[in-house]
Amino acid sequence: LMISLATILMGIGEGLLVTSRLGSSPWTVFSQGIALQTGASIGVVVAIISVIVLLLWIPLKLRFGLGTVLNVFFISLFIDVPVQYMPTPTHFAAQFSMMCAAILLFGISTTFYLSCYLGAGPRDGLMVGICLKYGWRVGVVRTALEVTVCVIGFLLGGTVGISTLAFAFCVGWIIQYTATLFQRFNKRSVLTKEL
């Protein structure tokens, strides 16, 4: 139940980010850029990227699970809820507030779904695998991944805005801070204290 709720909230967070109209998340910018260059739909590109990222799990000795499947399914399903049913704010202050809420919701939800031990989503698994293998901090790894795909996507023609930069530089640290708080209640967290 917890992992389903967490992935649903992650999808809603992504949807709120899109609805704010201040830019897409870095991975969406990446998908947009590739779609523009290849003529494929963004959905097809997202699926291909997910498969490629899952292949990167192999050298990190990661295994996917129910959480991996739910991540792909629920996020793709619930990202459309805010986009279809919530109006875009007309004032910048409201847009900015929606953007902040979206990033916080996505980051916090990510920590909770990772703590369920049912398999991370493709991107989050890559982040955790790199952290565990090399002993690097979550904030550093997540930020590096987000910034890298964002820059590549932008160079390929993807749309970048304030939300893109805020997501790229903040979400990793939100995950790390939330994980630190969560460890006080659950010492078995996948994001160990060393991270």
Side-chain angles (χ1 to χ4, degrees):
L1 177 62
M2 182 177 176
I3 191 152
S4 296
L5 179 59
T7 50
I8 288 170
L9 291 176
M10 288 169 66
I12 292 173
E14 276 274 13
L16 287 172
L17 200 63
V18 174
T19 304
S20 72
R21 298 291 177 95
L22 292 178
S24 303
S25 68
W27 284 93
T28 302
V29 173
F30 186 49
S31 298
Q32 287 174 336
I34 294 176
L36 287 171
Q37 295 300 317
T38 62
S41 71
I42 292 179
V44 170
V45 173
V46 168
I48 292 172
I49 290 173
S50 295
V51 171
I52 292 172
V53 172
L54 284 174
L55 290 176
L56 295 176
W57 284 26
I58 296 173
L60 297 173
K61 299 180 180 179
L62 298 172
R63 297 179 182 177
F64 71 87
L66 178 61
T68 310
V69 176
L70 292 178
N71 177 284
V72 175
F73 178 75
F74 280 124
I75 289 179
S76 62
L77 184 63
F78 282 89
I79 192 173
D80 284 332
V81 173
V83 174
Q84 293 182 2
Y85 299 105
M86 290 185 68
T88 299
T90 56
H91 299 289
F92 177 76
Q95 289 177 289
F96 187 81
S97 296
M98 181 177 284
M99 176 197 77
C100 292
I103 295 172
L104 281 170
L105 181 61
F106 187 89
I108 293 169
S109 300
T110 297
T111 303
F112 279 94
Y113 111 87
L114 287 174
S115 71
C116 292
Y117 312 103
L118 293 175
R123 296 168 292 180
D124 299 304
L126 180 64
M127 172 192 71
V128 172
I130 292 172
C131 289
L132 294 176
K133 184 175 180 66
Y134 299 105
W136 297 340
R137 296 176 64 84
V138 172
V140 172
V141 173
R142 184 62 180 247
T143 300
L145 288 172
E146 300 287 342
V147 170
T148 300
V149 297
C150 179
V151 169
I152 295 172
F154 175 71
L155 293 175
L156 293 174
T159 304
V160 175
I162 297 172
S163 293
T164 310
L165 298 176
F167 191 97
F169 286 102
C170 297
V171 75
W173 300 106
I174 293 170
I175 293 170
Q176 182 171 305
Y177 181 72
T178 307
T180 300
L181 292 178
F182 190 75
Q183 286 163 2
R184 296 178 184 176
F185 303 99
N186 181 4
K187 294 181 180 179
R188 293 178 60 244
S189 175
V190 69
L191 302 176
T192 59
K193 290 182 180 179
E194 287 75 15
L195 303 182

